[in-house]
Amino acid sequence: MKPNIQSKLSIHLLFWILYYILEVYLDFYWSRYQFPEFRWQLRLQNSLFLELGYFMVKIPLAYSLLYVYEKLNINKLLKYILCIIIFIIAVLAHRFFTHYIIYPHIYGVIETLDGKQPSGFINGLVAFNSFMDLIFMVGLIFGIEITRQKNLLKDQISKLKSEKLDQELTMLKAQINPHFLFNTLNNIYGMALKKADETPDVILQLSKIMRYNIYEAAEKSISVEKDIENIKDFIQIQKIRHRHLTVNFHENIDHPTQEISPLILIQFVENAFKHGVSESLGNTFISIDIKLKNGILEYCIENSKEERPNGNSTKIGLKNIRRQLELIYPGHMLIVEDKSDRYIVKLTIDFNDPFSI
């Protein structure tokens, strides 16, 4: 059985059980004044049996109206007319059961209007009483069903949004890995041309990084400790190529196993190398400061760059990063300062934020 159908059956079954208990209680309480000569055991027995009888009218009425309202594909006016006809038939059935079965066979008396005057099968007051009894039940069952459907729709929309976000994040990450691999292979190619002794070490470092990108980055989240280790491996590769580079790396982590989305932090380091160090002449520097305290991550990267009044290369890749942060950590704070001689990025992520993925 499908979960949705099972959930619907469970909710409706619970509704009818609670509704039956309520109706038995109300009838038992009413019969206390209407038939004071009856013992409470007899009154309770009568209430239990007569409400079961009423269910033979109420349950078909409820699901006939729900079927017409939800499933029947006809003109709205015809729906309204059909619902009215069904309701009139139900009122007549309700009156028949009350007048010809309940009073003479359960209570053993003739139905009366005021305790003295006999009531006919149909008149204004008794018909109104039957109408109110049925309309109360219909209102409850429709309220339950509409609420259930709204919650189901909300869950489906939430699931679709989640799937869409996962697909978008996967696509964004796929844009990162080839870009990173291309840049690193270019570095190794340059070293190989120079027959540098460090080439095997760099290949080994690349192997570790690619293992991270293929396996670790496929996960929804990893530990901050692993993410920082990947950044350090990346820096080691770049330092071998950039001989005049000064790298200052500071970390202060109070919770190394804190989960974080992979490939977020390293993108800022990649940008610092590609659009800062690689495009600068002479001595260059990169300063990385990462601090995690009480579930709040503060991440700052500062790198040197050449003064290029009309340059905009530093903006490349930021759009991708910003979009990922919006999807995963909507409460983040990202500050980008593009100065004449340096580029500064400050990122703050609150892992305690309930809206983070």
Side-chain angles (χ1 to χ4, degrees):
M1 185 181 294
K2 293 182 179 180
N4 291 342
I5 297 177
Q6 188 174 4
S7 173
K8 180 177 180 178
L9 288 175
S10 300
I11 290 172
H12 280 244
L13 180 60
L14 178 62
F15 164 77
W16 287 115
I17 291 172
L18 294 176
Y19 178 73
Y20 177 72
I21 293 172
L22 172 65
E23 288 294 292
V24 168
Y25 170 76
L26 292 175
D27 186 78
F28 176 73
Y29 188 81
W30 169 81
S31 64
R32 176 184 176 184
Y33 298 97
Q34 188 74 5
F35 305 102
E37 68 276 11
F38 290 178
R39 297 178 61 185
W40 71 268
Q41 294 93 335
L42 180 59
R43 288 189 289 111
L44 178 60
Q45 176 183 301
N46 291 342
S47 299
L48 290 170
F49 279 113
L50 72 88
E51 289 304 331
L52 284 176
Y54 278 136
F55 266 36
M56 296 176 64
V57 176
K58 293 179 178 180
I59 291 178
L61 169 64
Y63 291 107
S64 295
L65 293 177
L66 283 173
Y67 176 79
V68 172
Y69 177 76
E70 296 177 348
K71 305 292 185 182
L72 206 56
N73 188 21
I74 58 175
N75 183 275
K76 281 188 177 182
L77 179 60
L78 292 177
K79 277 191 177 186
Y80 293 144
I81 294 172
L82 188 55
C83 286
I84 291 172
I85 293 172
I86 292 171
F87 208 91
I88 290 173
I89 293 171
V91 169
L92 293 174
H94 188 280
R95 282 299 305 137
F96 180 88
F97 182 72
T98 303
H99 188 75
Y100 291 109
I101 297 177
I102 291 179
Y103 275 91
H105 297 288
I106 294 181
Y107 293 139
V109 297
I110 298 175
E111 184 182 18
T112 61
L113 292 176
D114 54 5
K116 296 180 181 179
Q117 181 183 356
S119 169
F121 171 65
I122 286 291
N123 63 46
L125 181 59
V126 294
F128 179 75
N129 289 338
S130 294
F131 172 81
M132 291 304 296
D133 187 25
L134 295 177
I135 200 68
F136 174 70
M137 177 276 301
V138 169
L140 287 177
I141 192 68
F142 266 73
I144 292 291
E145 182 60 18
I146 290 172
T147 302
R148 186 193 69 82
Q149 290 181 9
K150 282 186 177 180
N151 290 334
L152 180 61
L153 181 61
K154 188 184 296 183
D155 290 342
Q156 290 174 343
I157 292 174
S158 177
K159 185 178 179 180
L160 287 173
K161 284 183 178 179
S162 178
E163 290 175 355
K164 183 181 178 183
L165 292 182
D166 288 343
Q167 290 173 359
E168 188 170 353
L169 284 171
T170 301
M171 190 169 63
L172 288 170
K173 288 179 180 180
Q175 294 172 10
I176 299 166
N177 295 345
H179 172 74
F180 168 75
L181 179 61
F182 175 77
N183 286 342
T184 308
L185 287 175
N186 263 351
N187 294 343
I188 295 175
Y189 175 71
M191 294 177 66
L193 288 178
K194 297 176 183 178
K195 295 182 172 55
D197 295 335
E198 300 93 340
T199 303
D201 294 331
V202 177
I203 294 174
L204 181 62
Q205 292 285 345
L206 176 61
S207 174
K208 288 177 61 180
I209 292 172
M210 293 312 299
R211 188 181 300 113
Y212 174 90
N213 276 262
I214 294 171
Y215 297 107
E216 303 286 352
E219 301 294 327
K220 188 175 182 180
S221 61
I222 58 164
S223 68
V224 169
E225 185 178 38
K226 286 185 179 179
D227 209 40
I228 291 176
E229 183 181 346
N230 183 58
I231 293 174
K232 289 178 179 178
D233 289 335
F234 177 81
I235 292 173
Q236 283 301 113
I237 289 178
Q238 298 292 351
K239 284 176 70 175
I240 293 173
R241 182 186 178 196
H242 300 284
R243 300 291 182 177
H244 302 289
L245 170 67
T246 300
V247 178
N248 297 311
F249 191 99
H250 303 281
E251 59 177 299
N252 183 9
I253 308 297
D254 69 350
H255 185 18
T257 58
Q258 168 66 56
E259 296 291 305
I260 186 173
S261 179
L263 299 177
I264 289 288
L265 302 183
I266 196 171
Q267 292 180 72
F268 295 104
V269 181
E270 285 188 86
N271 268 0
F273 275 97
K274 182 179 180 182
H275 305 302
V277 174
S278 298
E279 297 179 357
S280 299
L281 301 175
N283 294 325
T284 56
F285 74 90
I286 292 179
S287 179
I288 302 172
D289 185 35
I290 179 169
K291 180 171 70 174
L292 176 62
K293 187 175 181 181
N294 298 326
I296 298 177
L297 177 75
E298 295 179 356
Y299 184 52
C300 179
I301 296 184
E302 184 175 346
N303 64 273
S304 58
K305 73 181 185 70
E306 294 294 325
E307 184 175 0
R308 294 183 301 276
N310 298 321
N312 62 355
S313 63
T314 53
K315 297 180 181 179
I316 298 175
L318 267 181
K319 184 178 180 181
N320 187 317
I321 302 172
R322 287 184 188 276
R323 182 56 183 156
Q324 289 186 69
L325 287 169
E326 287 172 3
L327 294 174
I328 306 170
Y329 303 110
H332 76 280
M333 182 171 65
L334 179 63
I335 300 174
V336 179
E337 299 179 24
D338 190 358
K339 298 185 177 182
S340 59
D341 63 338
R342 67 188 61 199
Y343 195 69
I344 303 171
V345 175
K346 296 178 181 178
L347 173 65
T348 302
I349 297 175
D350 185 356
F351 294 112
N352 303 310
D353 185 357
F355 294 102
S356 299
I357 295 179

